[in-house]
Amino acid sequence: MSLYQPLSLINGQWVGASSGATFDVINPATGAIVEKVADLSADDCKAAIDAAEAAFPKWAALTAKERATILRRWFNLITEHTEALAELITEEMGKPLAEARGEVAYGASFVDWFAEEGRRIYGDVIAPHMADKRILAIKQPVGVVAAITPWNFPLAMITRKVSPALAAGCTVVIKPSEDTPLTALAVCELANQAGMPAGVINCVTGMDAPAIGQVLTGDSRVRKVTFTGSTQVGKILYRQCADSVKKLSLELGGNAPFIVFDDADLDAAVDGAMLCKFRNAGQTCVCANRILVQSGIHDRFVEAFSARVKAMKVADGKTEGSEIGPLINADGKAKVEQHVEDALAKGATAVCGGSPHDAGPLFYSPTVLVGVTKDMRMASEETFGPVAPIYRFDREEEAIALANDTQYGLAAYFYTEDLSRTFRVYEALDYGIIGVNTGIISTEVAPFGGVKESGLGREGGPHGIEEFLETKYGCIGIKL
Ligand code: SIN
């Protein structure tokens, strides 16, 4: 049996669009049509909210342990189907198979972790202000949640949102990216097999994301919207949620600085930069977007780093040993090309790459640029591609000022062997996530999220479940 049906999941049933319309899911490595998926209208989407609303009281009334048992079965099924899920991710999204397997493990880890965390939702008993009063603060699920998820992690961004929501007792309507709906449908099918009651998880597929987004944000029965995607779309959703004063989590764009100080361990910094920059061909919100290198180590870093970049294998993610797959679509590739052309025209030099790759129309060569400056587009915009722009700096304060000179504030990284500098820079960087001597910061146990225009709220760790809970204060008068 196939791992998914090319339909939407509403109230435990696989359904097509009322119009019968479908849309094509394309393999970005080959341009082939992978599947035709139900193209639901904004109106069709209302049935998913109806289902989530109807399922909410019963799901919320289960004990945390009962919900955890179902979540745990879901985790086991995702893990058992690692290979099939990884192949699906590679086929519809393009990332190398080895990375896709890593994404399945990463995505499953949220289900496992929040299954446990749901059993540790505690309230407070507060010392009262009067002798005949008793004061409690209990935590309750917020209600129906809409999870709007991106294409770059078609599995992990769903489980990172949905697992804490379900563990807290909420029901959900997922709107996966129209580029990558198949992985979403597969994980929903596995949730069904795990015994998820009808209506607890609903998944709406459709091309008209703005119209569906409007229904999800406009319906007052949806009490929380959680979104990962661009800052531009996040701002639209933020405005739309205002009318019904919804709770909102936004995980938006980044412009991550990756700073290498003179006193860094060079080999470690090169390893970290490779992982941080080229994971998912540079298509993550936490990828290094600007590599700032201090003058004393600059030339040695550029030499060692570009030697590694030149050796990277660019190929269809299904090819053995592929390290860089295609970009997601023509718009994504055009942006990368424009950023590189702009930098070269303004005086940067390509040490390697700097042009499209002949593996296929959506492939771009891993690129290292030196002599990059603040006036180039890639200094202020997220490139979202396999391009490593290197900036030179002299002083610590200069690096911090350059790093913070952006409206974004998601992730920042730096390499140093000096303990005092570690604390100074950690505290001075205006970001929600800081990697020190590491290029990979993502884990289910820690609070992931940004400041400034990179978003609101945190996902993962104990902070991640709080986003789906309301605090209810009770003041109880007693007779003495
Ligand atoms: C993202 O790019 O939005 C998520 C990256 C991660 O979870 O590591």
Side-chain angles (χ1 to χ4, degrees):
M1 183 194 155
S2 163
L3 206 50
Y4 67 84
Q5 303 202 39
L7 298 166
S8 286
L9 179 65
I10 297 183
N11 204 22
Q13 303 295 316
W14 293 104
V15 298
S18 53
S19 66
T22 61
F23 64 96
D24 295 341
V25 179
I26 308 289
N27 178 333
T30 62
I33 297 175
V34 182
E35 189 59 87
K36 289 184 176 300
V37 174
D39 186 7
L40 268 67
S41 67
D43 240 26
D44 292 337
C45 174
K46 290 184 185 139
I49 304 174
D50 296 343
E53 188 198 22
F56 173 67
K58 229 169 146 185
W59 180 249
L62 292 182
T63 63
K65 185 174 177 179
E66 287 166 330
R67 289 194 293 267
T69 303
I70 298 173
L71 285 169
R72 188 71 208 174
R73 282 202 294 262
W74 192 27
F75 163 76
N76 288 337
L77 284 166
I78 293 174
T79 305
E80 277 164 31
H81 290 82
T82 294
E83 205 50 35
L85 288 166
E87 280 170 19
L88 201 52
I89 291 172
T90 296
E91 199 158 4
E92 66 175 344
M93 192 267 135
K95 71 177 63 173
L97 207 43
E99 280 194 49
R101 289 187 191 110
E103 180 180 344
V104 178
Y106 177 44
S109 72
F110 290 102
V111 185
D112 182 39
W113 202 85
F114 283 108
E116 294 174 5
E117 190 65 2
R119 299 170 70 177
R120 290 182 247 295
I121 296 171
Y122 303 123
D124 298 300
V125 180
I126 298 165
H129 58 304
M130 295 171 81
D132 63 347
K133 295 276 169 27
R134 296 294 178 265
I135 294 182
L136 308 177
I138 62 166
K139 299 280 176 73
Q140 291 185 310
V142 65
V144 174
V145 171
I148 306 177
T149 60
W151 51 263
N152 62 344
F153 289 86
L155 191 152
M157 295 305 101
I158 290 179
T159 52
R160 186 156 86 181
K161 296 175 187 309
V162 169
S163 316
L166 296 180
C170 301
T171 54
V172 297
V173 178
I174 304 166
K175 165 64 180 82
S177 163
E178 50 281 16
D179 286 317
T180 56
L182 304 179
T183 311
L185 297 174
V187 289
C188 286
E189 169 57 27
L190 293 175
N192 278 349
Q193 290 177 22
M196 200 67 75
V200 171
I201 290 187
N202 305 275
C203 183
V204 175
T205 55
M207 278 296 277
D208 195 350
I212 293 174
Q214 215 146 24
V215 170
L216 294 173
T217 52
D219 193 312
S220 59
R221 295 172 299 166
V222 174
R223 293 311 313 147
K224 158 103 193 178
V225 170
T226 168
F227 168 72
T228 294
S230 71
T231 294
Q232 186 200 358
V233 173
K235 287 180 183 179
I236 296 170
L237 296 172
Y238 200 171
R239 285 186 204 105
Q240 289 175 354
C241 284
D243 279 343
S244 49
V245 195
K246 290 189 203 318
K247 262 172 116 75
L248 193 63
S249 297
L250 298 172
E251 203 265 271
L252 308 177
N255 183 7
F258 184 103
I259 309 170
V260 183
F261 289 104
D262 281 347
D263 58 24
D265 173 333
L266 177 66
D267 294 339
V270 170
D271 286 346
M274 290 300 295
L275 290 169
C276 184
K277 176 64 257 184
F278 294 106
R279 178 173 170 232
N280 209 7
Q283 299 173 107
T284 88
C285 303
V286 289
C287 272
N289 201 53
R290 297 172 291 156
I291 302 183
L292 319 182
V293 189
Q294 203 163 10
S295 295
I297 199 171
H298 179 275
D299 294 354
R300 284 179 294 135
F301 178 86
V302 171
E303 191 186 338
F305 179 60
S306 48
R308 292 271 298 274
V309 176
K310 277 179 202 160
M312 291 190 94
K313 180 163 177 171
V314 181
D316 184 328
K318 283 192 169 160
T319 306
E320 185 61 35
S322 167
E323 292 171 290
I324 297 280
L327 294 165
I328 186 68
N329 53 33
D331 286 349
K333 184 171 172 216
K335 186 172 185 196
V336 172
E337 287 185 285
Q338 285 159 17
H339 277 199
V340 173
E341 279 161 22
D342 170 77
L344 294 175
K346 289 178 181 156
T349 306
V351 181
C352 59
S355 55
H357 192 279
D358 59 15
L362 294 181
F363 287 81
Y364 198 88
S365 303
T367 296
V368 178
L369 300 176
V370 290
V372 182
T373 51
K374 267 172 60 173
D375 57 323
M376 299 172 185
R377 272 185 70 184
M378 57 177 62
S380 54
E381 295 175 33
E382 196 175 26
T383 304
F384 237 59
V387 178
I390 301 186
Y391 304 68
R392 186 192 278 266
F393 71 91
D394 290 313
R395 289 170 303 103
E396 182 180 304
E397 312 79 74
E398 188 189 343
I400 291 168
L402 199 57
N404 286 342
D405 185 15
T406 170
Q407 79 267 34
Y408 296 108
L410 186 55
Y413 308 82
F414 63 94
Y415 276 70
T416 180
E417 294 289 291
D418 178 328
L419 184 63
S420 300
R421 170 172 274 162
T422 297
F423 279 95
R424 278 197 308 274
V425 179
Y426 176 36
E427 288 164 16
L429 287 172
D430 215 355
Y431 287 81
I433 305 168
I434 309 288
V436 186
N437 295 331
T438 179
I440 294 289
I441 42 63
S442 305
T443 160
E444 76 279 15
V445 305
F448 187 108
V451 300
K452 293 158 79 178
E453 293 185 25
S454 285
L456 297 173
R458 295 293 179 267
E459 295 186 321
H463 306 76
I465 204 159
E466 282 296 324
E467 304 279 340
F468 298 95
L469 294 167
E470 290 285 12
T471 299
K472 185 180 279 177
Y473 154 50
C475 186
I476 301 159
I478 60 165
K479 294 195 176 94
L480 293 173

Short mmCIF file of all heavy atoms in Angstrom, two decimals, residues 382-421:
data_model
loop_
_atom_site.label_atom_id
_atom_site.label_comp_id
_atom_site.label_asym_id
_atom_site.label_seq_id
_atom_site.Cartn_x
_atom_site.Cartn_y
_atom_site.Cartn_z
N GLU A 382 17.98 37.28 2.47
CA GLU A 382 18.30 35.86 2.62
C GLU A 382 18.46 35.24 1.23
O GLU A 382 17.53 35.30 0.42
CB GLU A 382 17.12 35.23 3.37
CG GLU A 382 17.35 33.90 3.97
CD GLU A 382 16.14 33.44 4.79
OE1 GLU A 382 15.00 33.88 4.52
OE2 GLU A 382 16.34 32.63 5.70
N THR A 383 19.63 34.64 0.94
CA THR A 383 19.86 34.10 -0.41
C THR A 383 19.14 32.76 -0.60
O THR A 383 18.63 32.46 -1.67
CB THR A 383 21.37 33.94 -0.68
OG1 THR A 383 21.99 35.21 -0.49
CG2 THR A 383 21.64 33.46 -2.08
N PHE A 384 19.09 31.92 0.43
CA PHE A 384 18.44 30.61 0.39
C PHE A 384 19.00 29.75 -0.75
O PHE A 384 18.26 29.21 -1.58
CB PHE A 384 16.92 30.77 0.24
CG PHE A 384 16.15 30.10 1.37
CD1 PHE A 384 16.37 30.47 2.68
CD2 PHE A 384 15.23 29.09 1.12
CE1 PHE A 384 15.67 29.86 3.73
CE2 PHE A 384 14.53 28.47 2.16
CZ PHE A 384 14.76 28.85 3.47
N GLY A 385 20.32 29.65 -0.78
CA GLY A 385 20.96 28.84 -1.80
C GLY A 385 22.39 28.53 -1.39
O GLY A 385 22.87 29.02 -0.36
N PRO A 386 23.12 27.74 -2.21
CA PRO A 386 24.45 27.26 -1.82
C PRO A 386 25.55 28.29 -2.08
O PRO A 386 26.52 28.00 -2.78
CB PRO A 386 24.62 26.01 -2.69
CG PRO A 386 23.85 26.32 -3.92
CD PRO A 386 22.69 27.18 -3.50
N VAL A 387 25.39 29.46 -1.54
CA VAL A 387 26.34 30.55 -1.79
C VAL A 387 26.90 31.04 -0.45
O VAL A 387 26.14 31.40 0.45
CB VAL A 387 25.64 31.73 -2.52
CG1 VAL A 387 26.63 32.88 -2.73
CG2 VAL A 387 25.06 31.26 -3.83
N ALA A 388 28.22 31.03 -0.33
CA ALA A 388 28.88 31.44 0.92
C ALA A 388 29.63 32.75 0.69
O ALA A 388 30.72 32.76 0.12
CB ALA A 388 29.86 30.35 1.35
N PRO A 389 29.04 33.88 1.11
CA PRO A 389 29.72 35.16 0.93
C PRO A 389 30.61 35.46 2.14
O PRO A 389 30.16 35.37 3.27
CB PRO A 389 28.56 36.17 0.87
CG PRO A 389 27.36 35.46 1.41
CD PRO A 389 27.70 34.04 1.69
N ILE A 390 31.87 35.79 1.88
CA ILE A 390 32.81 36.01 2.98
C ILE A 390 33.17 37.49 3.10
O ILE A 390 33.56 38.14 2.13
CB ILE A 390 34.07 35.14 2.79
CG1 ILE A 390 33.63 33.66 2.75
CG2 ILE A 390 35.09 35.40 3.90
CD1 ILE A 390 34.73 32.65 2.71
N TYR A 391 32.98 38.01 4.30
CA TYR A 391 33.27 39.40 4.63
C TYR A 391 34.51 39.39 5.52
O TYR A 391 34.66 38.52 6.37
CB TYR A 391 32.13 40.05 5.42
CG TYR A 391 30.76 40.00 4.76
CD1 TYR A 391 30.09 38.79 4.59
CD2 TYR A 391 30.12 41.16 4.34
CE1 TYR A 391 28.84 38.73 3.99
CE2 TYR A 391 28.87 41.12 3.75
CZ TYR A 391 28.23 39.89 3.57
OH TYR A 391 27.00 39.84 2.98
N ARG A 392 35.36 40.39 5.38
CA ARG A 392 36.56 40.48 6.23
C ARG A 392 36.31 41.56 7.29
O ARG A 392 35.73 42.59 7.00
CB ARG A 392 37.74 40.89 5.35
CG ARG A 392 39.08 40.90 6.04
CD ARG A 392 40.09 41.61 5.15
NE ARG A 392 40.63 40.76 4.10
CZ ARG A 392 41.76 40.07 4.20
NH1 ARG A 392 42.46 40.10 5.31
NH2 ARG A 392 42.20 39.36 3.18
N PHE A 393 36.76 41.30 8.54
CA PHE A 393 36.66 42.34 9.57
C PHE A 393 37.94 42.32 10.41
O PHE A 393 38.69 41.34 10.41
CB PHE A 393 35.41 42.17 10.45
CG PHE A 393 35.48 40.98 11.38
CD1 PHE A 393 35.98 41.11 12.67
CD2 PHE A 393 35.06 39.72 10.97
CE1 PHE A 393 36.05 40.02 13.53
CE2 PHE A 393 35.14 38.62 11.81
CZ PHE A 393 35.63 38.77 13.10
N ASP A 394 38.14 43.42 11.17
CA ASP A 394 39.35 43.51 11.99
C ASP A 394 39.07 43.36 13.48
O ASP A 394 39.80 42.71 14.19
CB ASP A 394 40.06 44.85 11.74
CG ASP A 394 40.66 44.89 10.34
OD1 ASP A 394 41.33 43.90 9.97
OD2 ASP A 394 40.42 45.86 9.61
N ARG A 395 38.02 44.03 13.98
CA ARG A 395 37.82 44.10 15.43
C ARG A 395 36.52 43.40 15.84
O ARG A 395 35.56 43.36 15.08
CB ARG A 395 37.76 45.57 15.88
CG ARG A 395 39.12 46.28 15.82
CD ARG A 395 39.00 47.77 16.04
NE ARG A 395 38.09 48.40 15.09
CZ ARG A 395 36.85 48.79 15.34
NH1 ARG A 395 36.35 48.68 16.56
NH2 ARG A 395 36.11 49.34 14.41
N GLU A 396 36.49 42.92 17.09
CA GLU A 396 35.31 42.20 17.62
C GLU A 396 34.05 43.07 17.53
O GLU A 396 33.00 42.61 17.08
CB GLU A 396 35.59 41.80 19.08
CG GLU A 396 34.47 41.02 19.74
CD GLU A 396 34.83 40.68 21.18
OE1 GLU A 396 35.88 40.05 21.42
OE2 GLU A 396 34.04 41.05 22.09
N GLU A 397 34.19 44.36 17.94
CA GLU A 397 33.00 45.24 17.94
C GLU A 397 32.48 45.45 16.51
O GLU A 397 31.27 45.60 16.29
CB GLU A 397 33.30 46.64 18.52
CG GLU A 397 34.04 46.68 19.85
CD GLU A 397 35.53 46.45 19.67
OE1 GLU A 397 36.21 47.38 19.21
OE2 GLU A 397 36.02 45.36 20.01
N GLU A 398 33.41 45.46 15.57
CA GLU A 398 33.02 45.64 14.17
C GLU A 398 32.18 44.42 13.71
O GLU A 398 31.16 44.57 13.03
CB GLU A 398 34.32 45.73 13.35
CG GLU A 398 34.17 46.11 11.92
CD GLU A 398 35.53 45.95 11.18
OE1 GLU A 398 36.60 45.87 11.82
OE2 GLU A 398 35.48 45.88 9.94
N ALA A 399 32.63 43.22 14.11
CA ALA A 399 31.90 41.99 13.73
C ALA A 399 30.50 41.99 14.34
O ALA A 399 29.51 41.65 13.68
CB ALA A 399 32.67 40.76 14.17
N ILE A 400 30.41 42.41 15.60
CA ILE A 400 29.10 42.41 16.27
C ILE A 400 28.17 43.42 15.60
O ILE A 400 27.00 43.13 15.33
CB ILE A 400 29.27 42.71 17.78
CG1 ILE A 400 29.97 41.52 18.46
CG2 ILE A 400 27.92 42.97 18.45
CD1 ILE A 400 30.45 41.80 19.87
N ALA A 401 28.71 44.60 15.31
CA ALA A 401 27.88 45.63 14.66
C ALA A 401 27.40 45.15 13.29
O ALA A 401 26.21 45.30 12.94
CB ALA A 401 28.67 46.92 14.53
N LEU A 402 28.30 44.54 12.54
CA LEU A 402 27.94 44.03 11.20
C LEU A 402 26.89 42.91 11.34
O LEU A 402 25.89 42.89 10.60
CB LEU A 402 29.22 43.49 10.55
CG LEU A 402 29.27 43.31 9.04
CD1 LEU A 402 28.96 44.62 8.34
CD2 LEU A 402 30.68 42.84 8.63
N ALA A 403 27.12 42.01 12.29
CA ALA A 403 26.20 40.88 12.48
C ALA A 403 24.80 41.38 12.84
O ALA A 403 23.79 40.84 12.36
CB ALA A 403 26.73 39.96 13.58
N ASN A 404 24.73 42.42 13.68
CA ASN A 404 23.41 42.89 14.15
C ASN A 404 22.76 43.88 13.19
O ASN A 404 21.61 44.28 13.41
CB ASN A 404 23.57 43.57 15.52
CG ASN A 404 23.79 42.56 16.63
OD1 ASN A 404 23.51 41.37 16.47
ND2 ASN A 404 24.30 43.02 17.77
N ASP A 405 23.46 44.23 12.12
CA ASP A 405 22.95 45.25 11.19
C ASP A 405 21.96 44.61 10.20
O ASP A 405 22.23 44.52 8.99
CB ASP A 405 24.14 45.89 10.46
CG ASP A 405 23.69 47.04 9.58
OD1 ASP A 405 22.55 47.51 9.75
OD2 ASP A 405 24.48 47.44 8.70
N THR A 406 20.83 44.17 10.69
CA THR A 406 19.81 43.51 9.86
C THR A 406 18.49 43.54 10.62
O THR A 406 18.49 43.59 11.85
CB THR A 406 20.22 42.04 9.59
OG1 THR A 406 19.12 41.34 9.00
CG2 THR A 406 20.64 41.29 10.85
N GLN A 407 17.39 43.47 9.87
CA GLN A 407 16.09 43.43 10.57
C GLN A 407 15.79 42.03 11.08
O GLN A 407 14.83 41.81 11.79
CB GLN A 407 14.95 43.94 9.68
CG GLN A 407 14.40 42.97 8.66
CD GLN A 407 15.08 43.12 7.30
OE1 GLN A 407 16.28 43.42 7.22
NE2 GLN A 407 14.32 42.92 6.24
N TYR A 408 16.63 41.05 10.68
CA TYR A 408 16.40 39.66 11.11
C TYR A 408 17.12 39.34 12.41
O TYR A 408 18.09 40.01 12.76
CB TYR A 408 16.88 38.70 10.02
CG TYR A 408 16.11 38.83 8.72
CD1 TYR A 408 16.69 39.42 7.61
CD2 TYR A 408 14.79 38.39 8.63
CE1 TYR A 408 15.99 39.56 6.42
CE2 TYR A 408 14.08 38.52 7.45
CZ TYR A 408 14.68 39.11 6.34
OH TYR A 408 13.99 39.24 5.18
N GLY A 409 16.69 38.28 13.07
CA GLY A 409 17.33 37.89 14.33
C GLY A 409 17.03 36.45 14.69
O GLY A 409 16.62 36.16 15.80
N LEU A 410 17.25 35.54 13.73
CA LEU A 410 16.95 34.13 14.03
C LEU A 410 18.20 33.45 14.63
O LEU A 410 18.31 33.35 15.84
CB LEU A 410 16.44 33.41 12.77
CG LEU A 410 15.96 31.96 12.96
CD1 LEU A 410 14.88 31.85 14.02
CD2 LEU A 410 15.43 31.40 11.63
N ALA A 411 19.14 33.01 13.78
CA ALA A 411 20.31 32.30 14.32
C ALA A 411 21.59 33.06 13.98
O ALA A 411 21.69 33.72 12.94
CB ALA A 411 20.40 30.90 13.74
N ALA A 412 22.58 32.95 14.88
CA ALA A 412 23.92 33.50 14.64
C ALA A 412 24.92 32.49 15.19
O ALA A 412 24.61 31.74 16.13
CB ALA A 412 24.09 34.83 15.35
N TYR A 413 26.11 32.47 14.61
CA TYR A 413 27.14 31.50 15.00
C TYR A 413 28.46 32.23 15.16
O TYR A 413 28.73 33.20 14.44
CB TYR A 413 27.32 30.44 13.91
CG TYR A 413 26.04 29.78 13.46
CD1 TYR A 413 25.20 30.40 12.52
CD2 TYR A 413 25.64 28.55 13.99
CE1 TYR A 413 24.01 29.81 12.11
CE2 TYR A 413 24.46 27.95 13.58
CZ TYR A 413 23.65 28.58 12.64
OH TYR A 413 22.47 28.00 12.25
N PHE A 414 29.30 31.74 16.07
CA PHE A 414 30.68 32.24 16.07
C PHE A 414 31.63 31.19 16.61
O PHE A 414 31.24 30.29 17.35
CB PHE A 414 30.82 33.59 16.82
CG PHE A 414 30.50 33.56 18.28
CD1 PHE A 414 31.52 33.37 19.22
CD2 PHE A 414 29.22 33.76 18.74
CE1 PHE A 414 31.24 33.37 20.59
CE2 PHE A 414 28.92 33.75 20.11
CZ PHE A 414 29.94 33.56 21.02
N TYR A 415 32.88 31.35 16.18
CA TYR A 415 33.94 30.42 16.57
C TYR A 415 35.04 31.20 17.26
O TYR A 415 35.58 32.16 16.71
CB TYR A 415 34.51 29.68 15.34
CG TYR A 415 33.66 28.47 14.98
CD1 TYR A 415 32.39 28.62 14.44
CD2 TYR A 415 34.13 27.18 15.22
CE1 TYR A 415 31.60 27.52 14.15
CE2 TYR A 415 33.34 26.07 14.93
CZ TYR A 415 32.09 26.25 14.39
OH TYR A 415 31.31 25.16 14.11
N THR A 416 35.36 30.78 18.47
CA THR A 416 36.44 31.38 19.25
C THR A 416 36.88 30.35 20.29
O THR A 416 36.08 29.51 20.71
CB THR A 416 36.00 32.67 19.96
OG1 THR A 416 37.09 33.19 20.70
CG2 THR A 416 34.84 32.46 20.91
N GLU A 417 38.14 30.44 20.72
CA GLU A 417 38.62 29.57 21.80
C GLU A 417 38.76 30.36 23.10
O GLU A 417 39.26 29.86 24.09
CB GLU A 417 39.97 28.95 21.43
CG GLU A 417 39.91 27.99 20.25
CD GLU A 417 39.19 26.69 20.58
OE1 GLU A 417 39.74 25.88 21.36
OE2 GLU A 417 38.07 26.48 20.08
N ASP A 418 38.30 31.63 23.07
CA ASP A 418 38.48 32.52 24.22
C ASP A 418 37.17 32.58 25.02
O ASP A 418 36.13 32.98 24.50
CB ASP A 418 38.87 33.91 23.67
CG ASP A 418 39.04 34.96 24.75
OD1 ASP A 418 38.33 34.89 25.78
OD2 ASP A 418 39.86 35.86 24.57
N LEU A 419 37.24 32.18 26.29
CA LEU A 419 36.03 32.07 27.11
C LEU A 419 35.37 33.44 27.35
O LEU A 419 34.14 33.57 27.27
CB LEU A 419 36.37 31.41 28.45
CG LEU A 419 35.17 31.14 29.36
CD1 LEU A 419 34.20 30.15 28.73
CD2 LEU A 419 35.64 30.62 30.71
N SER A 420 36.17 34.45 27.61
CA SER A 420 35.59 35.77 27.88
C SER A 420 34.89 36.29 26.62
O SER A 420 33.78 36.84 26.68
CB SER A 420 36.67 36.76 28.30
OG SER A 420 37.28 36.30 29.47
N ARG A 421 35.53 36.10 25.48
CA ARG A 421 34.91 36.53 24.22
C ARG A 421 33.60 35.74 23.98
O ARG A 421 32.62 36.30 23.51
CB ARG A 421 35.90 36.31 23.07
CG ARG A 421 35.26 36.48 21.72
CD ARG A 421 36.30 36.45 20.61
NE ARG A 421 36.89 37.74 20.39
CZ ARG A 421 38.03 37.95 19.74
NH1 ARG A 421 38.73 36.94 19.27
NH2 ARG A 421 38.47 39.17 19.55
#
